[in-house]
Amino acid sequence: MEIQLWRNLLSPYELAVRELVVKFNHIIREHKEKDLYSPMEQVIGRVKSIASILEKMQRKGIPFDRLEAEVEDIAGIRIICQFEEDIDAVVSIIQKCSDMEIKYEKNYLINVKESGYRSYHLIIYYTVQTIDGPRRLQAEIQIRTLAMNFWATIEHSLQYKYKGNMPPHVRERLSKAAAAILLLDREMSSVRSEIMDAQNFSQLQTNLVADILNNIENLYKFSSKREVKKIQDEFFRVYESNNLQQLERFHRQLDIITEGYRAQAVTKEFMA
Ligand code: 0O2
């Protein structure tokens, strides 16, 4: 197939990958803005390389006219989670997305591959808009933990290096590493609630500080510099105490003060 035809073929998949990455990143952002723990840690996307598509077609005996129907991972999304428990939460989120229709799921967490590969795969249908009208495409979503991703990335590079002839001693080491990764995920799960508490604390603090600084900046419009400086100094004092409750209290008080100044400014404008 000519390179221009490959470009035409892959172009809607590039759009699908870009859109899906934006959508999943937005879900992460929404969680953070609402001070909620996000089961998604990171999202990456890629369009399968032509070489990799050709290799898969050859290996599976797929003819060109069946390429788009049978190579289901031309568009690939990878969602990385912190904990194994988050994978189910991510699957539930995707099941609720009305613009993604699940074709089928492969659970390599239960049916671990012989290589030791663990991950959760979803094949979805996703529609993109092109100048020729809507195109309903397939995409593969891989959901795995940071630890699973670490193992899979290394193993994938070694598979590429040895091209299907991995020496038994390397295979054995990878198998041992896969067992260690399983243990690591279980260990991390056992301290999940503590880690989540710490992360929630930090996210809540980040959002509060951003809100407070925004309010202080707004105060400059309505109040004297001296007054704002006093409030700012008080904020630094509360911030240094590293006490979330005090910070929340300060945030509430500042909200009231800002509203007061704003109301005064509106009244002055009205009376003028
Ligand atoms: P890429 O783009 O390089 O990642 P297959 O027959 O395995 O090629 P199949 O049956 O369509 O593919 O689906 P499967 O088994 O779910 O695998 C799809 C993708 O999952 C692979 O894509 C890998 O990304 C990943 N994967 C599956 N098995 C393994 C494994 O043992 N080790 C690692 N590291 N990854 C695996 P590709 O085709 O490799 O392409």
Side-chain angles (χ1 to χ4, degrees), residues 46 48 52 56 59-60 73 78 106 108 113 115 117 121 140 142 151-152 155-156 159:
R46 65 99 183 96
K48 206 172 179 69
S52 183
K56 195 162 197 167
R59 180 161 47 87
K60 297 196 160 183
D73 63 340
R78 188 168 295 157
K106 286 192 222 173
Y108 295 129
K113 280 205 162 183
S115 58
Y117 178 75
H121 292 192
E140 181 186 74
Q142 301 181 343
W151 182 91
E155 199 260 2
H156 196 272
Q159 266 186 39

Side-chain angles (χ1 to χ4, degrees), residues 42 44 78-81 117-119 142-156 181 185:
Q42 196 195 352
I44 24 186
R78 188 168 295 157
I79 300 175
I80 314 290
C81 310
Y117 178 75
R118 289 165 67 239
S119 193
Q142 301 181 343
I143 312 162
R144 48 171 89 146
T145 63
L146 285 157
M148 291 172 198
N149 191 49
F150 174 46
W151 182 91
T153 306
I154 304 289
E155 199 260 2
H156 196 272
I181 291 290
D185 269 331

